[in-house]
Amino acid sequence: MTDTIREQLREHYQALDSAQERISWNEIEGRVGTRLDASPQRRPLPRRGVLVTALAAIITVLLVGAIPLLVGPGEEPPADTVVPNTTIPVDPSSLTFTRVDPPNGETLIEGFQVGGAFRAVSWNRNVWTTGDGVAWELLAELPPPPFAPAARDIDSDGARLAVVEAVGQAGPTGAECVGDEYALHVSVLDSGDAWSAGSIPLRLDETSEVGCLSVFETRITVGPQGYMVTARVSADLMLENIVARELDMSFDAVSEDLREIRQDGWVLEAVIGRERHTLDLERLGYADDISRFVAQVNALFPVDSDDLISMGEGNVVWWSSDGDTWHQADPSGPLQAGGMSVSLAPLATEDGFLVTSSDGGQSSVWTTRDGSWNHVGTIESPAVEPVRWGRGILLIGDGVWSFDGSSIETLTADVDLSEHHVSAGSWGMVAAPLFPGRPLLFSPDGREWVELDSGNFGDQDEPSLQVVGLGDGFVVLVEQSGWGDDSPRPLWIGRP
Amino acid sequence: MLRGDTASDVFASFVEENEPRLRRALTAAYGSEVGREAAAEALAYGWQHWDRIGAMTNPAGYLYRVGWDRARRMRQRRPSVEQVPAHAPEVWVEPGLTAALESLPEKQRVVIALCHGFDWSMSEVAEFLGVSKSTVQSYESRGMRRLRRSLGVES
């Protein structure tokens, strides 16, 4: 029946699509012309600098116009002035959000909680740090990139912050689609201002005729002996130049996993989509001396055990003690109870992993420390993917659960919290929206939740928000969507 | 158009490749009328700012966000999912499908449409929407579950 629904969906959307007129080049040009004609000072399109200046002026006017709403009429906030703006009552506590100025007026593109501070990277390639959102310190400048600046992804752990730049022969991947040799350049900033850098080559035989190779979802996990970098590498193949049989791959299946765990510790995964001229390659790699990680298809976790575990689709679990020799784990437990999906999450305080197996309705919850399984219980929720959310708190399916290592208890049931999850010290947690316009959801304890409209934070109605923990509070970094994206992004500090 | 031929060619190529993706994604979220209008506005914005947007790592994803922003402003309680129009190619779909799709949260509906309506891979959807693949999997799983429930299909 599911296949029937999918067929119906395809028929439905294909029919709608065929009835819809494509957007032509002439229509696009016409809209640009109309927009310019409608502006108070008509200018020809090629004078983009003038246009940008005009837009910037408009944005500035709008921003200045909005400031009195925040600080009172006729006043422009001086630098580093905290302006109380919004209070969110949450029984028995409350959050107060204050708007602060970004450092040096720079646009912050991404920030992280590092230790007790907030670090952020700006478009100017500066790394700023603050402990309270008011006083900022210029910590470092990003190292010169091999090619055009493109901070693809940033991650942090402890006092370290890493910048990953994926580049190809002609520049950042995604910007150019030429060549077959790429690399992930990784720069790591330690607790001071010293950078160390390394490079991970991405040269895969299977992509020798790649038309465009892009890298995304890069992550860095910091372990006691080094760094582990993961990335999803997507290669668009020019199939007219490649015969499928040469790759020994079939394009008949909806998806077919080809996963190889090799002796050298690299995991190479290829997923072939039906009738798609795309080959997704995932390469999970780690330094030779890293021995304390758990690997999942899309995630790698550091763990406080001497073992490695790898769980892939098809309910195959691999276990290793050294990263070289892999054994299939005890096939009983979640593998037998499996069904549609099996997922795992690290349990930082319990020195092991929580594993869920779901048949699409109920989920069985298990823990493991050494490859053998302990059945915790069964919950009435499909375990899409368990997420560790703060100490002893898990997000599984549509619910929030507490887990003390031996039993699992519902805190919140049937809520849509499939967003970005941030813990904030002892106060609580926040589910930040991945899509613009969605509300932020706050909770002090995982039981009671309160919504805050994201429109409170931006100069536009529905900005995108990045929420980062900062001590017992949160930093909200606002990304203006659409027309106002040239302006510095507002910053908010939320504290209990 | 007075801009250089090279920029025009590059943008035209971009439009050729990405216009259907942008329009289909926004149409899935906001319906044919608003979705198409938002996609056209986003592409116009993209051409105006192509010097900057063209250098981005995921310009199509960025313009989706622009279109999303435009669509949210234009939408005024218009239906997000329509019946297949009469002049469309003859096709039979489950009568309750439109209502079932309309009942889905926007994110789930977009993912369902792209994955199953247009055969995008989950990786493609994730990259386009700027979310993780696991998030897309979550939306797809929840959306299909709700669809099955709405249509009275339990398995």
Side-chain angles (χ1 to χ4, degrees):
Chain A
M1 289 301 286
T2 299
D3 287 343
T4 301
I5 292 178
R6 289 173 177 153
E7 291 168 6
Q8 293 276 305
L9 287 166
R10 185 175 294 111
E11 295 277 0
H12 174 80
Y13 280 107
Q14 297 287 349
L16 284 176
D17 188 63
S18 65
Q20 193 176 53
E21 185 182 0
R22 285 196 64 159
I23 301 165
S24 67
W25 174 248
N26 286 338
E27 181 177 349
I28 295 169
E29 283 194 306
R31 286 174 180 269
V32 173
T34 301
R35 189 173 295 144
L36 292 176
D37 288 343
S39 65
Q41 296 178 333
R42 181 182 177 184
R43 293 180 174 84
L45 183 60
R47 298 179 183 176
R48 184 178 173 278
V50 177
L51 182 62
V52 170
T53 303
L55 283 173
I58 294 171
I59 292 166
T60 302
V61 168
L62 291 175
L63 284 175
V64 171
I67 287 172
L69 300 177
L70 303 174
V71 300
E75 292 183 7
E76 186 173 327
D80 297 342
T81 296
V82 178
V83 185
N85 183 261
T86 304
T87 299
I88 308 167
V90 181
D91 186 28
S93 183
S94 65
L95 278 177
T96 300
F97 282 87
T98 56
R99 180 169 175 164
V100 300
D101 293 323
N104 201 33
E106 295 187 12
T107 296
L108 303 181
I109 55 175
E110 198 158 13
F112 299 94
Q113 183 175 15
V114 180
F118 173 73
R119 285 188 184 182
V121 177
S122 72
W123 281 119
N124 305 57
R125 301 186 69 89
N126 290 326
V127 181
W128 294 90
T129 183
T130 182
D132 57 8
V134 177
W136 294 85
E137 177 188 354
L138 178 60
L139 188 64
E141 296 179 359
L142 296 187
F147 295 95
R152 289 293 299 251
D153 195 11
I154 305 165
D155 201 354
S156 64
D157 183 274
R160 288 167 287 200
L161 181 148
V163 177
V164 179
E165 295 183 285
V167 297
Q169 290 174 327
T173 59
E176 299 287 345
C177 297
V178 295
D180 57 3
E181 290 188 21
Y182 294 82
L184 282 177
H185 294 272
V186 183
S187 302
V188 179
L189 180 66
D190 63 15
S191 56
D193 58 0
W195 291 93
S196 58
S199 180
I200 301 172
L202 299 174
R203 185 174 185 178
L204 306 172
D205 292 340
E206 291 86 344
T207 65
S208 58
E209 303 219 19
V210 157
C212 181
L213 188 149
S214 59
V215 178
F216 55 100
E217 290 188 19
T218 50
R219 302 182 190 179
I220 290 188
T221 304
V222 186
Q225 300 173 6
Y227 305 95
M228 178 161 57
V229 179
T230 71
R232 290 192 59 80
V233 180
S234 177
D236 295 327
L237 299 181
M238 295 182 293
L239 282 188
E240 58 269 28
N241 297 327
I242 296 179
V243 180
R245 64 175 180 273
E246 291 179 350
L247 296 174
D248 193 24
M249 294 174 181
S250 168
F251 286 83
D252 295 327
V254 173
S255 71
E256 178 181 356
D257 282 342
L258 305 173
R259 183 170 296 100
E260 176 188 3
I261 300 175
R262 301 195 327 225
Q263 291 294 312
D264 61 3
W266 290 87
V267 180
L268 178 64
E269 178 196 41
V271 180
I272 309 298
R274 183 184 62 176
E275 298 175 354
R276 305 206 62 78
H277 298 175
T278 299
L279 174 65
D280 290 337
L281 299 172
E282 182 175 19
R283 192 169 195 176
L284 312 177
Y286 45 86
D288 293 339
D289 55 355
I290 293 294
S291 61
R292 297 187 176 186
F293 288 102
V294 54
Q296 198 186 8
V297 173
N298 285 318
L300 293 152
F301 307 113
V303 296
D304 296 326
S305 73
D306 293 329
D307 297 315
L308 292 160
I309 182 172
S310 174
M311 179 171 289
E313 296 176 16
N315 299 344
V316 176
V317 176
W318 295 90
W319 196 273
S320 173
S321 296
D322 55 12
D324 289 331
T325 304
W326 293 80
H327 309 282
Q328 189 166 358
D330 179 0
S332 62
L335 305 184
Q336 286 185 338
M340 291 179 63
S341 63
V342 177
S343 303
L344 62 83
L347 296 175
T349 57
E350 287 82 19
D351 185 19
F353 316 104
L354 179 131
V355 183
T356 57
S357 60
S358 173
D359 61 1
Q362 291 184 332
S363 297
S364 295
V365 182
W366 310 73
T367 57
T368 181
R369 298 186 180 197
D370 57 4
S372 60
W373 306 103
N374 172 47
H375 187 226
V376 176
T378 300
I379 60 177
E380 295 293 331
S381 178
V384 176
E385 182 177 331
V387 177
R388 193 184 73 214
W389 191 353
R391 196 176 183 86
I393 304 292
L394 297 164
L395 176 64
I396 304 177
D398 290 333
V400 181
W401 310 78
S402 67
F403 179 64
D404 62 5
S406 60
S407 62
I408 190 165
E409 178 188 357
T410 305
L411 294 177
T412 309
D414 198 21
V415 291
D416 185 5
L417 293 172
S418 56
E419 307 280 351
H420 178 58
H421 311 104
V422 182
S423 299
S426 59
W427 185 80
M429 56 200 71
V430 57
L434 293 170
F435 283 72
R438 293 272 296 169
L440 273 75
L441 297 167
F442 297 96
S443 174
D445 56 9
R447 295 180 186 275
E448 301 296 329
W449 292 86
V450 62
E451 290 188 2
L452 179 62
D453 189 341
S454 59
N456 287 307
F457 293 100
D459 297 315
Q460 293 187 350
D461 293 340
E462 294 164 337
S464 299
L465 306 178
Q466 184 199 357
V467 183
V468 181
L470 179 62
D472 275 351
F474 308 95
V475 176
V476 180
L477 180 59
V478 181
E479 177 186 355
Q480 306 283 12
S481 61
W483 305 95
D485 56 287
D486 290 331
S487 60
R489 299 175 181 178
L491 272 175
W492 296 78
I493 306 294
R495 291 195 183 284
Chain B
M1 181 52 60
L2 298 175
R3 200 179 292 197
D5 290 341
T6 301
S8 298
D9 293 343
V10 171
F11 185 73
S13 175
F14 172 83
V15 171
E16 178 67 22
E17 180 182 356
N18 291 283
E19 183 271 343
R21 306 171 67 199
L22 194 62
R23 175 168 47 82
R24 289 165 180 167
L26 290 167
T27 296
Y30 300 108
S32 295
E33 186 179 349
V34 173
R36 187 186 183 284
E37 176 73 10
E41 281 289 290
L43 288 170
Y45 177 83
W47 176 227
Q48 261 190 298
H49 300 81
W50 187 241
D51 290 350
R52 176 172 55 84
I53 294 173
M56 293 180 175
T57 55
N58 185 6
Y62 182 85
L63 290 184
Y64 173 76
R65 298 275 288 276
V66 173
W68 187 97
D69 181 70
R70 304 298 289 174
R72 302 283 287 201
R73 295 165 190 277
M74 288 185 285
R75 189 178 59 171
Q76 295 177 351
R77 291 192 171 276
R78 301 183 196 181
S80 300
V81 183
E82 300 98 331
Q83 300 284 353
V84 175
H87 59 277
E90 186 173 345
V91 59
W92 183 91
V93 295
E94 161 65 40
L97 183 63
T98 301
L101 286 169
E102 179 73 53
S103 71
L104 290 181
E106 177 188 307
K107 291 181 292 187
Q108 294 178 11
R109 188 167 62 247
V110 170
V111 169
I112 291 290
L114 298 182
C115 287
H116 300 303
F118 298 107
D119 281 339
W120 293 25
S121 71
M122 290 194 180
S123 296
E124 288 175 309
V125 177
E127 184 175 17
F128 187 70
L129 299 181
V131 301
S132 69
K133 184 181 175 184
S134 62
T135 299
V136 172
Q137 289 171 326
S138 170
Y139 293 155
E140 191 274 345
S141 174
R142 293 181 187 202
M144 287 301 289
R145 181 155 44 96
R146 289 182 68 149
L147 273 184
R148 285 194 294 269
R149 195 179 302 157
S150 299
L151 295 173
V153 179
E154 296 302 328
S155 60

